[in-house]
C-alpha cells in the first residue's frame, strides 16, 4: 500500500481508503478511479490524500466493474431534529444516566486505591449520550434536572457532559469531536477526588488557603487523564475549564486566543450547571438567573457569542424546569419548541390557585388552541410539591 496526495492520483489507480481530508467524506467502496473528472470530484469534496494499491494499477483500459464511488458529504441534521419522542427516549436515557453514576463511582474508588482508570467505558458512555441526544435531546436534558443534594460530585460531571453534547450538536460540530468533548466533560472534575474531604465538602466559602488547595483539582484531573492515555481536547477540558478570557482563571492563567472554543464551551456549561445545582447548603438557582450571572461575566470571563448560542440551545426555560402558567397551573417543561423557544410543551399536574394536584395534561404553548402562556419558573417548595415523586411516577414511568 502507498499513500499519495490527491494531486498525484491518476486514472487507473486503485484507491483503498481516504487518509486525509478537510471534511467528513465517506467512500462507499474501494475501487479504481476511472477518469480525471472523477479525480476532480474527489478534490472538490475535500480529499487531500488517499491510500492506493500500486499492484492493482491499470495501465490500459479501466474495467467497468468495481468503480470508485464518488464520495458524498454526510448530511448534517438540523440541530433540533428529533427522531424519537421524548417519552420513547426516556427509558434509554435513564439507563445511560444510571450507568454514568455507576461508572463515576467506580472511577473514584479506583483513583482512591491508586489504580489507573479505564477510559474505554467512558468513551462508550459518551457515545451513548451522543446517540441519545441526536435521537431526542429532551430526554437526557430532563434528567439533568433530577438532582440529589448529596450527589453533586457524581451528577455535576454527568450533567456537564450531557449539556456539552447538546451544545455541540446545536453548533453542528462533527460527531467525533463531540465524543471528545463529551468524554472530557464526563471526567473534567475527576481530580476532585484528590482534594481533602474537609475542603471539598465544606458548606461555606473557602478561605484563601482552602481555595488554593481546591484549584489543584484541575491539574489533578489533567494528570489522571494523561496517565490513563487520553490526549487532546478531552484533556484540555479537564485541565482548563476554569481558565477565563481575561487571564484571571486557573490553573495556568491562560487568556484570549490561548483558550480554545471547546474549553470556552466547557467553562460556560460547567458554571451554568454549578449555579443551577441543588446542594446540601444551597438551593439551585433558576436557569434565567444563572444566565444573567454568565452574561455579567462577558466578555471578561466568558465568550459572549458562545454564551448566546448556549442560551438558544438550552432555552430560557430548559426541559425539566418547573413553571407556572397564566392559568395558575404548575407544570414541568418536558419538550422544547425550537421555533418558539418561549413556548415549550408543559406537563401540568398542580393548581396554584386551588393548592391541589390536578389531572396530568400535556400543553403545547405554541398551539393556537391554547390560551395559556408561560409566566415564570417556580420552585417546588413554593407550593409544597413533591417534585421527586412526580418525576419517578410520571416522567420515568
Amino acid at each position: 500500500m502507498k499513500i499519495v496526495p490527491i494531486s498525484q492520483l491518476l486514472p487507473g489507480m486503485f484507491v483503498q481508503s481516504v487518509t486525509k481530508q478537510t471534511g467528513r467524506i465517506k467512500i462507499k467502496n474501494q475501487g479504481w478511479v476511472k477518469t480525471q473528472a472523477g479525480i476532480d470530484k474527489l478534490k472538490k469534496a475535500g480529499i487531500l490524500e488517499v491510500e492506493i494499491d500500486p499492484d492493482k494499477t491499470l495501465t490500459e483500459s479501466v474495467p467497468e466493474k468495481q468503480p470508485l464511488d464518488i464520495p458524498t458529504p454526510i448530511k448534517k441534521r438540523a440541530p433540533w431534529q428529533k427522531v424519537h419522542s421524548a417519552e420513547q427516549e426516556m427509558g434509554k436515557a435513564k439507563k445511560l444516566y444510571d450507568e454514568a453514576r455507576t461508572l463515576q463511582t467506580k472511577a473514584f474508588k479506583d483513583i482512591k486505591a491508586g489504580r489507573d482508570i479505564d477510559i474505554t467505558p467512558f468513551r462508550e458512555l459518551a457515545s451513548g449520550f451522543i446517540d441519545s441526544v441526536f435521537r431526542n435531546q429532551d430526554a437526557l436534558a430532563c434528567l439533568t434536572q433530577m438532582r440529589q443534594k448529596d450527589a453533586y460530585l457524581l451528577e455535576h460531571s454527568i450533567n456537564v457532559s450531557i449539556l456539552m453534547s447538546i451544545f455541540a450538536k446545536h453548533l453542528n460540530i462533527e460527531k467525533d469531536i463531540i465524543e471528545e468533548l463529551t468524554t472530557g466533560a464526563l471526567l473534567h472534575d475527576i481530580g476532585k477526588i484528590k482534594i481533602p474531604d474537609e475542603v471539598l465538602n465544606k458548606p461555606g466559602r473557602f478561605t484563601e488557603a482552602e481555595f488554593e488547595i481546591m484549584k489543584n483539582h484541575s491539574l489533578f484531573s489533567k494528570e489522571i487523564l494523561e496517565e490513563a492515555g487520553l490526549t487532546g481536547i478531552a484533556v484540555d477540558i479537564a485541565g482548563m475549564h476554569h481558565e477565563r478570557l481575561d487571564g484571571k482563571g486557573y490553573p495556568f492563567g491562560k487568556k484570549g486566543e490561548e483558550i480554545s472554543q471547546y474549553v470556552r464551551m466547557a467553562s460556560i456549561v460547567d458554571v451554568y450547571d454549578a449555579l443551577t445545582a441543588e446542594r446540601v447548603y444551597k438551593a439551585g438557582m433558576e436557569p434565567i438567573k444563572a444566565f444573567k450571572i454568565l452574561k455579567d461575566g462577558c466578555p471578561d470571563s466568558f465568550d459572549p457569542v458562545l454564551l448566546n448560542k448556549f442560551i438558544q440551545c438550552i432555552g430560557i426555560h430548559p426541559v425539566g424546569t418547573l413553571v407556572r402558567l397564566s392559568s395558575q397551573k404548575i407544570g414541568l417543561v418536558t419538550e422544547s419548541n425550537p421555533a418558539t423557544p418561549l413556548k415549550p410543551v408543559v406537563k401540568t399536574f398542580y393548581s396554584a390557585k386551588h393548592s391541589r394536584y390536578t389531572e396530568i395534561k400535556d400543553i403545547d404553548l405554541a398551539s393556537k388552541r391554547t390560551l395559556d402562556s408561560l409566566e415564570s419558573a417556580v420552585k417546588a417548595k413554593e407550593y409544597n410539591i413533591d417534585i421527586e415523586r412526580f418525576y419517578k411516577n410520571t416522567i420515568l414511568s
Side-chain angles (χ1 to χ4, degrees):
M1 299 299 172
K2 181 181 178 182
I3 294 175
V4 299
I6 193 69
S7 59
Q8 293 180 19
L9 188 64
L10 300 172
M13 289 183 173
F14 187 91
V15 175
Q16 193 77 18
S17 64
V18 172
T19 55
K20 191 175 182 181
Q21 60 180 307
T22 57
R24 279 178 64 83
I25 306 300
K26 283 188 176 179
I27 288 180
K28 295 178 182 177
N29 58 269
Q30 305 164 353
W32 287 276
V33 283
K34 297 172 63 177
T35 63
Q36 184 60 45
I39 295 172
D40 292 340
K41 285 185 179 181
L42 290 173
K43 291 178 180 177
K44 288 181 180 178
I47 305 298
L48 301 176
E49 192 177 80
V50 295
E51 183 181 40
I52 65 168
D53 187 342
D55 294 335
K56 294 183 180 180
T57 299
L58 298 170
T59 55
E60 298 178 2
S61 60
V62 180
E64 292 299 318
K65 293 183 179 180
Q66 282 190 290
L68 181 71
D69 282 355
I70 299 302
T72 54
I74 297 173
K75 292 182 179 179
K76 292 181 178 179
R77 288 175 175 166
W80 291 98
Q81 182 178 342
K82 297 171 184 178
V83 179
H84 293 171
S85 69
E87 290 181 353
Q88 287 176 311
E89 187 60 29
M90 187 58 73
K92 296 174 185 176
K94 179 64 166 60
K95 184 178 179 182
L96 284 168
Y97 202 97
D98 289 343
E99 287 176 4
R101 288 176 61 93
T102 301
L103 189 57
Q104 292 275 37
T105 300
K106 182 181 183 301
F108 290 150
K109 288 180 180 178
D110 286 343
I111 293 168
K112 279 194 170 183
R115 297 187 293 267
D116 288 343
I117 58 173
D118 183 3
I119 293 298
T120 302
F122 282 96
R123 285 194 178 279
E124 292 172 351
L125 180 64
S127 181
F129 278 167
I130 294 163
D131 288 343
S132 180
V133 163
F134 271 80
R135 288 191 296 265
N136 191 317
Q137 66 187 46
D138 292 341
L140 276 173
C142 191
L143 293 177
T144 64
Q145 300 293 323
M146 296 176 60
R147 305 174 188 271
Q148 296 181 23
K149 293 180 180 179
D150 58 350
Y152 175 76
L153 185 56
L154 274 177
E155 294 179 347
H156 173 62
S157 290
I158 299 171
N159 292 348
V160 170
S161 182
I162 291 169
L163 293 172
M164 277 291 283
S165 62
I166 293 172
F167 191 12
K169 175 197 170 193
H170 182 76
L171 296 178
N172 272 323
I173 290 173
E174 302 293 349
K175 222 169 177 182
D176 55 344
I177 300 296
I178 300 179
E179 184 175 307
E180 291 295 310
L181 295 171
T182 307
T183 303
L186 263 173
L187 294 160
H188 80 284
D189 267 351
I190 197 76
K192 283 185 176 178
I193 204 66
K194 291 190 174 184
I195 301 297
D197 287 345
E198 60 271 20
V199 175
L200 183 64
N201 299 318
K202 183 179 179 180
R205 295 179 68 88
F206 292 133
T207 64
E208 189 173 329
E210 289 168 340
F211 186 51
E212 289 302 314
I213 293 172
M214 190 63 184
K215 287 197 295 188
N216 288 325
H217 82 270
S218 297
L219 288 173
F220 292 151
S221 293
K222 180 176 182 291
E223 291 168 1
I224 289 168
L225 297 197
E226 288 175 336
E227 288 168 5
L230 266 181
T231 57
I233 294 170
V235 172
D236 287 346
I237 287 174
M240 296 192 285
H241 60 277
H242 283 291
E243 299 292 344
R244 298 294 181 257
L245 295 178
D246 59 4
K248 294 181 180 179
Y250 63 86
F252 305 110
K254 291 184 178 295
K255 62 181 178 179
E257 294 305 313
E258 295 176 311
I259 303 173
S260 72
Q261 173 187 331
Y262 304 132
V263 172
R264 295 180 191 206
M265 291 168 62
S267 68
I268 290 169
V269 177
D270 176 62
V271 173
Y272 170 79
D273 187 75
L275 291 173
T276 55
E278 291 284 334
R279 305 290 294 272
V280 174
Y281 55 87
K282 81 168 184 71
M285 190 178 292
E286 293 172 10
I288 195 166
K289 291 182 179 178
F291 291 144
K292 184 180 185 306
I293 288 176
L294 285 163
K295 281 275 192 184
D296 289 344
C298 294
D300 293 340
S301 296
F302 307 108
D303 186 313
V305 174
L306 284 175
L307 177 58
N308 285 335
K309 290 181 178 179
F310 179 65
I311 295 171
Q312 292 168 7
C313 159
I314 300 300
I316 298 297
H317 300 288
V319 172
T321 304
L322 200 64
V323 295
R324 184 179 63 241
L325 306 183
S326 56
S327 62
Q328 297 306 296
K329 294 174 183 176
I330 304 296
L332 196 75
V333 177
T334 55
E335 190 174 342
S336 53
N337 266 332
T340 52
L342 294 178
K343 297 180 179 181
V345 176
V346 177
K347 191 181 289 289
T348 60
F349 61 94
Y350 190 87
S351 170
K353 184 176 180 179
H354 299 105
S355 299
R356 62 179 174 83
Y357 288 89
T358 61
E359 180 186 359
I360 295 170
K361 288 186 178 181
D362 288 309
I363 300 177
D364 185 348
L365 297 177
S367 172
K368 294 180 180 179
R369 292 176 295 175
T370 181
L371 298 176
D372 247 326
S373 60
L374 198 157
E375 282 195 336
S376 64
V378 299
K379 292 291 182 183
K381 63 183 180 181
E382 291 179 41
Y383 299 98
N384 198 29
I385 294 173
D386 188 348
I387 190 64
E388 187 174 344
R389 186 185 70 178
F390 175 74
Y391 265 118
K392 290 179 179 177
N393 295 344
T394 306
I395 304 298
L396 299 179
S397 61

